[in-house]
Amino acid sequence: MKVGETLVKVEGIRKSFPGVQALDNVNFELKAGTVHALMGENGAGKSTLVKVMMGIYGRDSGMMWLKNKEVDFKTPKEALDAGMSFIPQELCPVPDMTVAENIWLGRESSFLNIFVDYKTLNSKTEEVLERIGVQLDPGRLMKTLSTAEVQLVEIAKAISLDNDVLIMDEPTSAIGEKEVEKLFDIIRMLKAEGKGIVYVSHRMEEIFTITDEITVFRDGKMVGSVVTKDITRGELISLMIGGTLGEEYYKENTPTDEVLLEVEDITIKGKCENISLNVRKGEILGIFGLVGAGRSEFFEALFGVRKKERGSVRITGKEVRIKSPSDAIRNGLALVTEDRKESGLVLTSSVKDNTSIASLKQDVVAGLINRSKELERTNEMINKFRVKTPSYRQLVGNLSGGNQQKVVLGRWVLTNPRILLLDEPTRGIDVGAKKEIYKFMSDFADAGNAIIMISSEIPEVLGMSDRIVILKDHKKVAEKTRSEIDQETLMHMASYSK
């Protein structure tokens, strides 16, 4: 189709779940050769719409056209065969298969339609990966890849289909700045080929960098569609939340001079090496580095998830031994992991079970769990973090990303930590939920506690950190106060420092 012609059109789409009107009379139009963003707070209906478009969910009413032909996909395969590809927010690789097998699953090259032609399969995989500037061995098992590498494989898989429509739901949520730039180069190439891209993201910088149009959702309804260049950041936020947000970063904590946590020479060969740092009471310490710099591995070593080869940990000047997460919790540490769906939550369990699981010992009376006490503490956290849920019985997998993240935070607050390790604490959540989490972080630190925060979002690192530690190639290469560094310098240090 010619650039500017309508590729996809939906009218009057409605979709409800028990107790929730997820989509209410939604209209949307995607043009060839454009990138169209879907924006809105968590639970606004963005992901539901793309899942309806892809045949993952059936719609209750409404109509959809693809290249001027009315369609009603009953399965994702029907959508794929018709020319639509989808990169979901929830990564779902087959861990015991190779990169090549995952990319071409169901489309393998074969001999006599019986035996897989692995030579051709690997060769085709190398071509696709080269096209997006990714260096990965096609024969590597998916379970050996990092979250960022899995995300890049998902992108390669979608692009390998060569479809006219590509839907990306939070495609940069698990990749770093360099990988984002690679992705944007690919998107620009696809635009030039006349393809249409639906882009779902909470990252404002990305929206204003790569998109042509924006459709905003609120409470399951479409509240407006605009040309990206014709709207400001503030106006977009107002559309999303139905009012003004105010200052984006809430930061009122004041660091003291008293060191709460000190780590020295933390080392896991090839993962994190000779990392030393300290964090003071009342302080938020940021850690920044590109994908593969060793950020998450450092947290895992500190929290006892990974066995460190050497290194010491002192809390309020006293050396402590942390060989397991239970040791870490006992010493006042808590870890919010990078991937809440993979390692942070039990998606098939309730809000209550996910909230109380790390602190159940507090609810044990005479060897039995006091369920009323457990429920009381759960409801306390639901109210404290303003978790939007029909009840504590709701499966956490049915909550929006922002509310899932609040459940994770609530769980760890119930362990009464003094030091919070936050790995990408606002990944994939909307600006309103981010503000609430920033306020919690500031209040937590200001109460005499401390936070170490890993973030790939440079504005977030600069906006919330009192000091920033920069990692590169598994090592600490610099440490700066927030007043000593800007976005360009921070990125330069993470990329080029020696």
Side-chain angles (χ1 to χ4, degrees), residues 4 34 39 170 232 269 286 289 448 450 478:
T34 67
M39 295 287 288
E170 300 287 353
T232 66
K269 190 173 178 65

Side-chain angles (χ1 to χ4, degrees), residues 32-77:
T34 67
V35 181
H36 197 132
L38 301 185
M39 295 287 288
E41 294 191 89
N42 288 107
K46 310 177 300 296
S47 293
T48 301
L49 175 62
V50 299
K51 288 176 180 177
V52 167
M53 291 168 63
M54 285 298 301
I56 298 170
Y57 295 156
R59 57 183 183 257
D60 297 335
S61 62
M63 303 177 73
M64 174 175 166
W65 293 266
L66 174 62
K67 293 186 281 190
N68 298 319
K69 179 182 177 181
E70 186 176 345
V71 293
D72 184 9
F73 302 130
K74 304 299 184 186
T75 66
K77 187 177 186 307

Side-chain angles (χ1 to χ4, degrees), residues 238-456:
S238 295
L239 266 181
M240 289 170 59
I241 67 175
T244 58
L245 183 65
E247 184 65 32
E248 184 171 356
Y249 297 104
Y250 183 101
K251 185 167 177 60
E252 296 187 354
N253 62 293
T254 303
T256 68
D257 293 329
E258 185 178 351
V259 174
L260 181 55
L261 171 73
E262 187 175 7
V263 300
E264 186 175 343
D265 200 26
I266 294 288
T267 296
I268 301 175
K269 190 173 178 65
K271 301 295 182 181
C272 56
E273 300 181 15
N274 311 111
I275 296 178
S276 300
L277 55 80
N278 66 68
V279 59
R280 298 167 290 170
K281 288 184 177 180
E283 184 177 33
I284 299 174
L285 178 70
I287 294 182
F288 183 78
L290 304 182
V291 171
R295 304 168 303 171
S296 297
E297 291 83 356
F298 167 68
F299 267 12
E300 290 170 355
L302 180 56
F303 198 68
V305 176
R306 291 178 183 257
K307 182 180 179 181
K308 57 182 178 290
E309 295 175 14
R310 63 175 179 270
S312 62
V313 179
R314 288 185 290 277
I315 297 176
T316 60
K318 180 182 177 182
E319 185 166 350
V320 297
R321 292 185 178 276
I322 298 176
K323 294 184 177 181
S324 67
S326 60
D327 289 341
I329 294 169
R330 190 163 48 250
N331 282 286
L333 274 72
L335 169 62
V336 175
T337 58
E338 175 184 15
D339 190 336
R340 58 180 171 265
K341 293 181 183 292
E342 181 68 25
S343 58
L345 294 166
V346 182
L347 298 177
T348 54
S349 292
S350 68
V351 171
K352 176 180 70 66
D353 291 344
N354 272 275
T355 303
S356 64
I357 192 171
S359 57
L360 273 177
K361 286 184 179 179
Q362 298 178 32
D363 303 323
V364 174
V365 178
L368 298 174
I369 296 174
N370 184 328
R371 294 299 180 185
S372 62
K373 186 178 178 184
E374 178 192 11
L375 182 56
E376 180 183 343
R377 296 194 311 122
T378 296
N379 284 327
E380 177 188 337
M381 285 301 104
I382 289 174
N383 293 330
K384 178 183 178 69
F385 285 96
R386 303 200 316 184
V387 179
K388 294 180 181 178
T389 177
S391 80
Y392 64 84
R393 297 186 182 92
Q394 176 69 279
L395 296 183
V396 79
N398 292 336
L399 301 184
S400 67
N403 286 298
Q404 289 179 350
Q405 190 72 348
K406 291 177 184 179
V407 170
V408 176
L409 285 168
R411 170 202 296 167
W412 288 113
V413 168
L414 286 176
T415 67
N416 300 314
R418 300 186 64 192
I419 302 153
L420 265 180
L421 310 178
L422 303 180
D423 196 348
E424 304 288 1
T426 65
R427 168 169 288 165
I429 65 177
D430 64 78
V431 290
K434 280 186 177 184
K435 182 71 175 288
E436 292 180 278
I437 289 175
Y438 294 149
K439 184 180 187 305
F440 160 73
M441 291 170 59
S442 180
D443 291 346
F444 180 84
D446 208 44
N449 304 305
I451 291 175
I452 306 179
M453 175 189 70
I454 293 171
S455 178
S456 297

